[in-house]
């Protein structure tokens, strides 16, 4: 009988350790029921906000006072508001703004925090001390207070709100990435690169950041949830995006007084939407953290 031997793997074959790690993390994530439910909720809400307006078109620009304050019906599934806007359509429209601002601001905060924390942790010494004292000073000032001051000075649009939220939310991710960098920079592959004259930029870009992906992804997930909450806070106080644009926080603010008159449909839907999406992102973040946790792997 002839025995067929497999050819040995080529010396230059790519290492698949990282890919295997991500597959194991995905498998662990899929076994986390709460995280999977959270991911499903996010997908449903994204489809509701971005695809829903095509299936349920409404006019969210012009006022229709003759249709104001109508209760839920076949014509208006969640009723209308004080100026005649369909509440279900407005929930989609406001959700689109909330999600865009929250996700973009969360990503911006994570990017800034990642760059700041990786540089501080890698360089160390007095540079690390100065950079992290700046972070400590920033954390000591509540983000909501900074947002209120900025909003009192200027009226930001969607783009401005993204930048402002991103620049007040990067502090916590920077501390997480710095801690990860302090651990990774003493690994053999980083020390070898430095010994053979590799640049600092290459050490950070080729080794430290790729090996911090799990921490970065988890931090980004929580930052998105925090940014969506901050958008709701600021808009609830009337300092968010301006009419005719709106978001869930703006809908809560506009419907608060009407709720005392029994028009619950103006405040319950946006309130539930904020709670659902924030809880969903937090559940996904917890699931990702557990999935990437090496100590939890059996």
């Amino acid at each position: 009988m002839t025995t067929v031997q497999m050819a040995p793997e080529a010396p230059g074959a790519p290492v698949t350790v990282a890919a295997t790690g991500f597959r194991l993390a995905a498998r662990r994530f899929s076994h986390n029921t709460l995280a999977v439910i959270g991911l499903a909720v996010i997908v449903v809400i994204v489809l509701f906000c971005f695809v829903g307006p095509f299936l349920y078109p409404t006019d969210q620009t012009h006022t229709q006072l003759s249709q104001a304050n109508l209760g839920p019906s076949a014509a208006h599934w969640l009723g209308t508001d004080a100026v005649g806007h369909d509440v279900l359509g407005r929930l989609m429209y406001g959700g689109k703004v909330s999600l865009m601002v929250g996700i973009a601001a969360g990503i911006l905060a994570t990017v800034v925090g990642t760059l700041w924390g990786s540089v501080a942790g890698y360089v160390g010494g007095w540079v690390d001390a100065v950079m992290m004292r700046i972070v400590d000073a920033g954390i000591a000032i509540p983000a909501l207070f900074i947002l209120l001051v900025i909003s009192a000075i200027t009226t930001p649009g969607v783009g401005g709100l993204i930048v402002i939220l991103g620049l007040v939310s990067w502090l916590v991710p920077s501390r997480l990435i710095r801690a990860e960098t302090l651990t990774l920079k003493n690994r053999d592959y980083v020390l070898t690169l430095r010994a053979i004259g590799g640049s600092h930029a290459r050490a950070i870009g080729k080794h430290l950041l790729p090996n911090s992906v799990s921490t970065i992804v988890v931090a980004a997930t929580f930052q998105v949830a925090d940014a969506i909450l901050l958008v709701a806070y600021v808009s609830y106080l009337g300092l968010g995006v301006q009419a005719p644009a709106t978001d869930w926080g703006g809908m809560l603010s506009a419907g608060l007084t009407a709720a005392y008159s029994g028009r619950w449909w103006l405040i319950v839907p946006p309130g539930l939407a904020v709670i659902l999406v924030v809880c969903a992102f937090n559940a996904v973040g917890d699931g990702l953290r557990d999935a990437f946790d090496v100590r939890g792997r059996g």
Side-chain angles (χ1 to χ4, degrees):
M1 183 172 65
T2 305
T3 302
V4 179
Q5 296 185 353
M6 300 297 293
E9 189 173 311
V15 179
T16 60
V17 175
T20 303
F22 276 104
R23 284 197 295 270
L24 289 174
R27 187 180 307 163
R28 288 172 57 83
F29 182 87
S30 66
H31 292 160
N32 188 323
T33 304
L34 189 60
V36 172
I37 293 175
L39 182 60
V41 169
I42 293 173
V43 172
V44 170
I45 291 178
V46 169
L47 292 175
F48 171 77
C49 294
F50 289 90
V51 179
F54 296 101
L55 304 176
Y56 187 83
T58 57
D59 184 358
Q60 297 296 325
T61 303
H62 303 93
T63 60
Q64 303 177 51
L65 297 181
S66 62
Q67 300 292 317
N69 297 322
L70 297 178
S73 64
H76 303 284
W77 293 3
L78 287 180
T80 61
D81 62 12
V83 294
H85 291 145
D86 185 276
V87 174
L88 180 57
R90 200 141 188 86
L91 193 66
M92 299 174 185
Y93 182 73
K96 185 186 301 185
V97 175
S98 293
L99 289 175
M100 286 193 303
V101 173
I103 292 174
I107 292 175
L108 176 61
T110 304
V111 170
V112 175
T114 296
L115 294 176
W116 188 278
S118 59
V119 171
Y122 180 78
V123 176
W126 67 268
V127 174
D128 178 35
V130 170
M131 293 178 72
M132 297 317 295
R133 295 300 75 74
I134 294 174
V135 172
D136 292 340
I139 291 178
I141 304 174
L144 185 57
F145 174 76
I146 298 175
L147 289 173
L148 291 176
V149 172
I150 294 175
S151 298
I153 297 173
T154 182
T155 303
V158 173
L161 200 56
I162 291 173
V163 173
I164 293 171
L165 287 174
L167 294 182
V168 301
S169 305
W170 61 272
L171 302 168
V172 173
S174 69
R175 295 178 68 90
L176 295 175
I177 301 304
R178 171 185 176 269
E180 188 78 7
T181 303
L182 288 174
T183 301
L184 293 173
K185 75 174 186 178
N186 293 319
R187 298 289 175 86
D188 291 340
Y189 49 82
V190 177
L191 296 176
T192 301
L193 176 65
R194 294 173 63 182
I196 62 177
S199 65
H200 298 310
R202 182 176 178 82
I204 294 175
K206 296 293 184 180
H207 293 290
L208 298 183
L209 290 182
N211 285 284
S212 302
V213 168
S214 60
T215 302
I216 295 171
V217 170
V218 174
T221 306
F222 288 118
Q223 284 304 123
V224 170
D226 290 343
I228 291 174
L229 269 182
L230 283 175
V231 174
Y233 291 155
V234 175
S235 298
Y236 178 78
L237 296 174
L239 302 174
V241 294
Q242 301 301 305
T246 189
D247 55 51
W248 288 333
M251 293 181 66
L252 285 171
S253 178
L256 181 61
T257 56
Y260 293 113
S261 302
R263 295 193 289 274
W264 57 267
W265 58 88
L266 297 179
I267 193 169
V268 172
L272 287 177
V274 172
I275 294 172
L276 276 176
V277 75
V278 171
C279 290
F281 272 106
N282 284 329
V284 171
D286 287 334
L288 289 173
R289 181 179 56 198
D290 294 340
F292 284 116
D293 185 6
V294 178
R295 292 170 297 180
R297 292 176 183 168

